[in-house]
Amino acid sequence: MKFSVIIPTYNDWQRLQQCVMALEGQTLSRDQYEVIVVDNSEHGVIPEEVHLPCRVQLIHEPKPGSYAARNKGAAVATGDIVAFTDSDCIPDKNWLNNAQKYLNEANDLVGGKVEIFQPEGGSKYGYMYERVTAFPQQKNVPLGKGVTANLFVKKDVFEKVGGFNMAIKSGGDWEFTLRCTKAGYQMIYADDVQVKHPARNLQTIFKKHYRLTCGGALKVKREYGYSELRMLGSHIKGGLTGRKKRSTVVLSMKERVIVYSIDLMKFMYRAIIYVGVILRLINPDKVRE
């Protein structure tokens, strides 16, 4: 069994080097995996201070979007398993070694644990929020929804389902894994297949939800023909009546207030984005993943 690790990056060279060094230290034999970095910048120019190991294959995909970059990486992959992670992730040293035991005749996809950590100088409020809300793979993978921060797919399955939908702005990983499971392929969650992901600061969290809201609006309008006004109504109704299930993280009262306060701000922010789309002040087609 050979792995092809695919890492898209968009001008994130410093954190990419940390990711690559973690892959260099894998306990799996080096001849059992390759590392493919896909530069998704416009011109494909690498800063002089960036040095990647000679065994890392660097390719360029100028078409904007991480899903286009991942498809490009998979197209040149020589392994029979494609392993996706992101440039800001730090794979555990046993990441690949542990993954191989789950990829057998019964399992076609594996979604591993994404552990949130607070980076040096990072936002404590962002960490507090994301350790509760971000990447709950243990809940989502059994529902057919895995994230590309930590996802393994058999190469032939990836090709049969057609790879990632490059027209999707955000949420293309869930769309892809749901397409796989609906086609009858088996995906499981593996707690010991781990990567670490830095907690985002609040500004980055809200930027992410800007992309998610715009991308979701485009997807729903194209697939179901719903108007933006109807989507805004659904968002408000869901926010007022929905009850979110949290992770098993134990929170103090202060932490609980902070998490739910950020949730409320996020709800209002996404409503404002829908209004901007309705008034044509925001063009979702211009949003980059």
Side-chain angles (χ1 to χ4, degrees):
M1 181 183 295
K2 181 180 178 181
F3 293 91
S4 293
V5 181
I6 298 170
I7 313 166
T9 187
Y10 179 66
N11 298 328
D12 191 23
W13 299 108
Q14 183 176 355
R15 292 192 297 186
L16 171 70
Q17 291 179 95
Q18 293 181 322
C19 178
V20 168
M21 290 309 298
L23 290 169
E24 285 289 292
Q26 290 292 296
T27 55
L28 186 70
S29 173
R30 194 60 181 81
D31 61 359
Q32 290 184 262
Y33 68 100
E34 63 182 354
V35 179
I36 303 169
V37 171
V38 188
D39 175 12
N40 197 216
S41 64
E42 182 179 359
H43 301 293
V45 178
I46 304 171
E48 291 183 1
E49 66 272 15
V50 174
H51 301 285
L52 299 176
C54 60
R55 292 180 293 190
V56 172
Q57 184 178 357
L58 179 63
I59 61 177
H60 180 226
E61 174 51 74
K63 183 178 176 62
S66 62
Y67 302 119
R70 293 184 182 102
N71 282 348
K72 180 68 169 288
V76 303
T78 61
D80 47 358
I81 304 293
V82 284
F84 296 101
T85 191
D86 295 329
S87 56
D88 56 354
C89 291
I90 303 175
D92 179 79
K93 65 180 181 179
N94 295 311
W95 184 54
L96 295 175
N97 211 357
N98 287 347
Q100 64 179 347
K101 65 186 177 184
Y102 295 101
L103 290 153
N104 48 41
E105 292 184 5
N107 301 318
D108 303 294
L109 299 92
V110 173
K113 181 177 181 179
V114 181
E115 182 181 348
I116 302 297
F117 71 94
Q118 183 176 354
E120 185 177 353
S123 165
K124 66 177 181 179
Y125 297 114
Y127 170 68
M128 195 180 299
Y129 184 71
E130 291 224 301
R131 77 187 183 103
V132 175
T133 62
F135 308 114
Q137 290 271 79
Q138 70 279 8
K139 292 182 178 180
N140 290 333
V141 168
L143 302 176
K145 299 182 288 188
V147 295
T148 45
N150 191 356
L151 181 67
F152 293 78
V153 189
K154 290 179 179 178
K155 178 76 179 297
D156 62 334
V157 171
F158 185 87
E159 292 172 341
K160 286 175 182 175
V161 299
F164 294 102
N165 184 343
M166 296 185 293
I168 296 178
K169 299 290 184 179
S170 284
D173 40 11
W174 278 16
E175 189 277 337
F176 168 76
T177 55
L178 281 168
R179 192 162 12 110
C180 290
T181 54
K182 287 178 180 178
Y185 297 109
Q186 179 70 27
M187 179 168 70
I188 64 164
Y189 171 71
D191 194 70
D192 60 344
V193 179
Q194 301 182 9
V195 302
K196 291 183 178 181
H197 189 291
R200 305 173 180 93
N201 58 38
L202 293 180
Q203 182 182 12
T204 307
I205 290 171
F206 280 87
K207 282 183 178 180
K208 173 190 174 183
H209 285 282
Y210 180 86
R211 296 195 308 270
L212 286 173
T213 305
C214 290
L218 281 176
K219 182 176 184 291
V220 171
K221 187 171 185 178
R222 288 170 179 169
E223 292 190 4
Y224 304 104
Y226 293 170
S227 68
E228 292 89 352
L229 187 60
R230 179 173 178 177
M231 286 183 261
L232 172 61
S234 296
H235 172 69
I236 294 173
K237 180 180 178 181
L240 295 176
T241 63
R243 296 182 64 186
K244 294 186 177 180
K245 293 182 179 179
R246 290 296 181 200
S247 71
T248 56
V249 176
V250 178
L251 299 175
S252 67
M253 181 57 68
K254 178 182 177 181
E255 290 173 325
R256 192 169 309 207
V257 169
I258 290 171
V259 168
Y260 280 96
S261 295
I262 295 172
D263 256 345
L264 177 60
M265 288 188 290
K266 187 181 73 177
F267 166 76
M268 296 173 65
Y269 179 66
R270 296 188 72 165
I272 291 170
I273 295 169
Y274 279 121
V275 172
V277 173
I278 291 169
L279 298 177
R280 302 296 183 260
L281 300 174
I282 297 173
N283 183 355
D285 281 306
K286 300 296 183 181
V287 177
R288 190 189 201 282
E289 164 64 21

